Amino acid sequence: ESISADPFAKKQRIQVSIICPDPYFLSAEESHVLIYPQSNIVTLSDTTHGAIFEINCSAAITGGFTIGNTLTGEQFTVDGDYESGDKITLDTRLGLKALTLTRNGATMNILQYMNADEHDWLQLVPLDNNYITLSAATLSGLVRWQTHYEGV
């Protein structure tokens, strides 16, 4: 992105800076695991990375819910009330972070319902047991990710 040097120095010293927003090679296939209301995920990635958590409500929920990773101690709490049939999508991938609600076919941003105190953007740790939990028995979900390999 930039090259900086002192043009008046006797001995030139140049620093080259390259910004790479997505420095990993990704697998062509996407992996996924169902969570109901808990599941163990082992990823074959070389590095810690984000994922897409799709949470489905089978009954109404009042006061929100929490998604947790007991391996890392991370928790993401979503406040608000949800109806049966709602789908909440939490995207924790680098540069793509989002929190959306799909209700009756319409998708809307609900980032304002992210809990102010508990909002770790959950990451999957490579080659380990990422024990993903949901705080309500009326929730089920799907975790999707691509294997990340060492890159740039």
Side-chain angles (χ1 to χ4, degrees):
E1 173 179 278
S2 67
I3 298 176
S4 51
D6 180 5
F8 303 108
K10 284 188 174 190
K11 192 172 186 180
Q12 288 290 322
R13 195 171 177 181
I14 297 176
Q15 178 178 343
V16 177
S17 186
I18 300 173
I19 295 176
C20 185
D22 196 3
Y24 304 106
F25 296 116
L26 302 176
S27 64
E29 305 273 325
E30 187 174 79
S31 301
H32 63 276
V33 170
L34 292 172
I35 46 177
Y36 182 80
Q38 54 198 14
S39 186
N40 190 34
I41 297 174
V42 177
T43 172
L44 300 176
S45 295
D46 293 336
T47 185
T48 300
H49 59 83
I52 300 169
F53 298 84
E54 295 176 354
I55 310 303
N56 298 300
C57 298
S58 60
I61 293 178
T62 303
F65 62 92
T66 299
I67 308 168
N69 183 340
T70 58
L71 174 67
T72 62
E74 297 170 324
Q75 290 190 7
F76 194 100
T77 299
V78 181
D79 296 330
D81 299 332
Y82 301 94
E83 302 172 2
S84 178
D86 283 355
K87 179 171 98 173
I88 298 95
T89 303
L90 172 64
D91 192 341
T92 66
R93 297 174 298 168
L94 181 67
L96 300 170
K97 292 179 172 57
L99 181 62
T100 59
L101 168 66
T102 302
R103 178 179 287 163
N104 300 324
T107 300
M108 61 193 95
N109 179 2
I110 59 166
L111 200 55
Q112 69 272 20
Y113 292 116
M114 173 180 74
N115 184 282
D117 299 320
E118 291 183 346
H119 60 271
D120 298 321
W121 294 93
L122 303 175
Q123 300 292 298
L124 300 180
V125 177
L127 303 173
D128 217 330
N129 296 319
N130 294 275
Y131 195 65
I132 305 298
T133 61
L134 296 171
S135 65
T138 57
L139 296 173
S140 63
L142 179 71
V143 181
R144 297 186 296 126
W145 73 92
Q146 286 179 282
T147 303
H148 287 57
Y149 301 104
E150 291 291 331
V152 179

